[in-house]
Amino acid sequence: MSIMVPSTTPALITPGRQALDSALHQLDQAAAHLGLDDGLRTMLATPRRSLTVSVPVRREDGRLDVVQGYRVQHNVSRGPAKGGLRFHPGTDIHEVTALAMWMTWKCALVGIPYGGAKGGVAVDPAGLTTRELERLTRRYVSEIMPLIGPEKDIPAPDVGTDEQTMAWVMDTYSVSAGYSVPGVVTGKPMTLGGSLGRTGATSRGVQIAALAALGRSPEGVTVAVQGFGKVGALAAQYLSDAGCKVVAVSDVTGAVYRAAGLDVARLRAYAAETGGVRGFHQADALSHEDLFELDVDVLVPAALEGVITEANAPRIRARLVVEGANGPTTPGADEILAANGTLVVPDILANAGGVIVSYLEWVQNMQAYAWSSGEIELKLRDLMLNAFTEVKSLAAERGLTMRQAAHVIGVGRVAEAHQMRGLYP
Ligand code: NAD
């Protein structure tokens, strides 16, 4: 039996620990601005429930591997916990906690009745066969079963997971319940109760936020996108559809650049066929680092946390950064971007389209009813633009960055819910 347990050396500052430090820093700033007392701040800084599980996986050759899995419910004061499920070799309890915390503020900011959660399994899905992935997913779900449910905690796709993963989650939970429970998970295939518009929802939200922040015609606006997965590829597509010129994109295989604008639809087809953007013939190769430093109007980080740092922030020339990813900018980088006059539309606002349409999917599941794509699009746009306007106005009124304003609103709403409910016992 081989053990695939990630190192937990206490002295090691993992990217996950850095993400959690960023999330705590943002919370501290908002708590100070709101004048929250220490007790309440500490409550908001600590997750309500954290579960670490060991997930045994039978490999095709008969070996048994054991991987670490996590589910963290950061806060449930405003409703059931909600948050994605990530399969990535680098994930750890700190990263999952940070992502759960950001989910709490995000749901409160856009006004949907959820708390925040996140799940993760420290595994590289590309290294597993489909059957191994299915066994891993089902075993992980059975391990976290006591925490999840349509009234308790509802997972969704994140890095390394997709609709198929969500179908396995729904089936595993339903088999245990003895009947179909579509509302236990969102981002499902349509045939299992998925919602129209969910696949592209996060990217549509990124497009809505980017265009609102631009405040001018998107015609000819240049864009670079880091990450060409579920969020990045469709964000590039929707921005291109709106008239922007997407000049560069990257994924884990490499980065590509074309000054005249990439044909995003062709690039998506190429990446789907070859497994990545590297080698796309209608573009030049670019280094991962250079993508961040291009002279573009808009930069969309849509991969992982901590990619805009104090090291590269001084060289970022984009006028607008729209965070498709969660936690892409470190607090030090934030200060540099603000000082340089770069407008940052923060993750908890810019990528909220995913959880908004997840919420709509859950509402449809709970009512056994389906809305049209037009109805979904309208509700998504309304919630995104309402939140955008609130954040923009508060930032202007109080001299805050958009991230600070978004946190003041999100944290403030959760704090208010705590105070109204009171402490049990
Ligand atoms: P995904 O697994 O579908 O795609 C991730 C992409 O990032 C891949 O193209 C991968 O190749 C690329 N990538 C990884 N490391 C990279 C690197 N060093 N340089 C360049 N590219 C790199 O994941 P996703 O669902 O698109 O999620 C991306 C981000 O968006 C994450 O931060 C996630 O938490 C956030 N997010 C996702 C959703 C959603 O609905 N899926 C919603 C809100 C936020």
Side-chain angles (χ1 to χ4, degrees):
M1 183 173 99
S2 67
I3 311 264
M4 289 166 59
V5 179
S7 163
T8 50
T9 315
L12 194 70
I13 308 285
T14 62
R17 181 65 239 188
Q18 283 168 4
L20 183 54
D21 286 346
S22 296
L24 289 170
H25 173 85
Q26 292 155 3
L27 167 62
D28 278 348
Q29 278 194 330
H33 191 90
L34 290 159
L36 302 185
D37 65 54
D38 270 358
L40 186 49
R41 193 214 70 89
T42 306
M43 251 189 105
L44 297 176
T46 41
R48 296 277 59 78
R49 297 188 186 98
S50 298
L51 180 64
T52 298
V53 295
S54 294
V55 186
V57 195
R58 180 73 64 192
R59 304 297 299 268
E60 301 295 7
D61 62 6
R63 264 183 308 140
L64 189 65
D65 282 341
V66 180
V67 296
Q68 293 288 281
Y70 313 94
R71 186 77 191 169
V72 173
Q73 295 174 352
H74 169 255
N75 192 281
V76 288
S77 292
R78 299 181 62 263
K82 182 92 188 79
L85 169 58
R86 174 172 294 194
F87 287 175
H88 188 277
T91 203
D92 62 18
I93 188 69
H94 304 302
E95 180 186 63
V96 176
T97 305
L99 291 163
M101 192 181 293
W102 284 320
M103 282 303 293
T104 301
W105 317 142
K106 190 183 303 182
C107 293
L109 172 64
V110 297
I112 57 178
Y114 286 138
K118 206 77 182 189
V121 180
V123 73
D124 179 7
L128 299 179
T129 66
T130 304
R131 287 191 308 183
E132 288 169 342
L133 260 183
E134 178 175 352
R135 288 197 286 268
L136 168 87
T137 306
R138 289 184 183 281
R139 184 59 190 250
Y140 166 76
V141 171
S142 82
E143 297 293 344
I144 64 160
M145 194 81 80
L147 290 193
I148 61 170
E151 270 113 16
K152 296 198 287 186
D153 180 358
I154 306 118
D158 191 74
V159 173
T161 58
D162 58 16
E163 331 190 297
Q164 177 59 79
T165 328
M166 298 306 115
W168 293 327
V169 174
M170 182 235 169
D171 185 68
T172 308
Y173 187 90
S174 298
V175 166
S176 160
Y179 52 92
S180 287
V181 188
V184 67
V185 75
T186 59
K188 299 177 292 292
M190 285 301 293
T191 185
L192 297 178
S195 175
L196 289 167
R198 175 60 185 90
T199 309
T202 310
S203 317
R204 180 66 74 200
V206 168
Q207 181 214 32
I208 293 168
L211 298 188
L214 267 174
R216 67 171 166 109
S217 159
E219 219 51 53
V221 164
T222 52
V223 180
V225 181
Q226 186 228 11
F228 206 62
K230 294 185 295 297
V231 176
L234 283 177
Q237 184 68 66
Y238 296 154
L239 286 167
S240 166
D241 294 347
C244 297
K245 200 159 68 169
V246 178
V247 295
V249 307
S250 67
D251 67 9
V252 78
T253 68
V256 291
Y257 173 78
R258 184 165 183 264
L262 295 158
D263 182 335
V264 179
R266 278 213 180 145
L267 181 54
R268 284 172 53 220
Y270 174 85
E273 198 184 313
T274 64
V277 300
R278 187 194 171 105
F280 183 54
H281 37 281
Q282 292 169 12
D284 298 324
L286 189 74
S287 79
H288 275 119
E289 299 73 41
D290 285 350
L291 178 132
F292 287 99
E293 298 168 21
L294 290 173
D295 187 10
V296 288
D297 298 307
V298 186
L299 174 64
V300 180
L304 294 170
E305 305 93 61
V307 295
I308 301 179
T309 64
E310 283 171 73
N312 63 3
R315 294 193 298 277
I316 286 181
R317 285 187 283 171
R319 266 67 75 196
L320 174 64
V321 174
V322 184
E323 296 183 336
N326 286 304
T329 311
T330 66
D334 247 343
E335 283 178 26
I336 295 168
L337 294 177
N340 288 348
T342 307
L343 181 64
V344 179
V345 185
D347 45 12
I348 61 170
L349 173 60
N351 70 32
V355 75
I356 289 173
V357 180
S358 271
Y359 164 63
L360 299 175
E361 178 175 333
W362 177 78
V363 172
Q364 292 169 89
N365 293 156
M366 300 308 259
Q367 300 177 349
Y369 190 74
W371 285 314
S372 70
S373 55
E375 286 169 306
I376 301 281
E377 175 96 25
L378 211 63
K379 291 179 204 293
L380 167 64
R381 186 168 291 278
D382 262 7
L383 287 169
M384 282 299 299
L385 288 178
N386 284 345
F388 186 92
T389 307
E390 274 188 278
V391 170
K392 202 74 208 284
S393 314
L394 189 74
E397 190 187 302
R398 308 236 179 125
L400 301 172
T401 64
M402 284 190 78
R403 188 185 317 283
Q404 289 164 340
H407 276 80
V408 166
I409 296 170
V411 172
R413 285 182 184 156
V414 179
E416 190 188 348
H418 267 300
Q419 279 158 338
M420 292 306 292
R421 286 179 64 154
L423 196 60
Y424 173 85

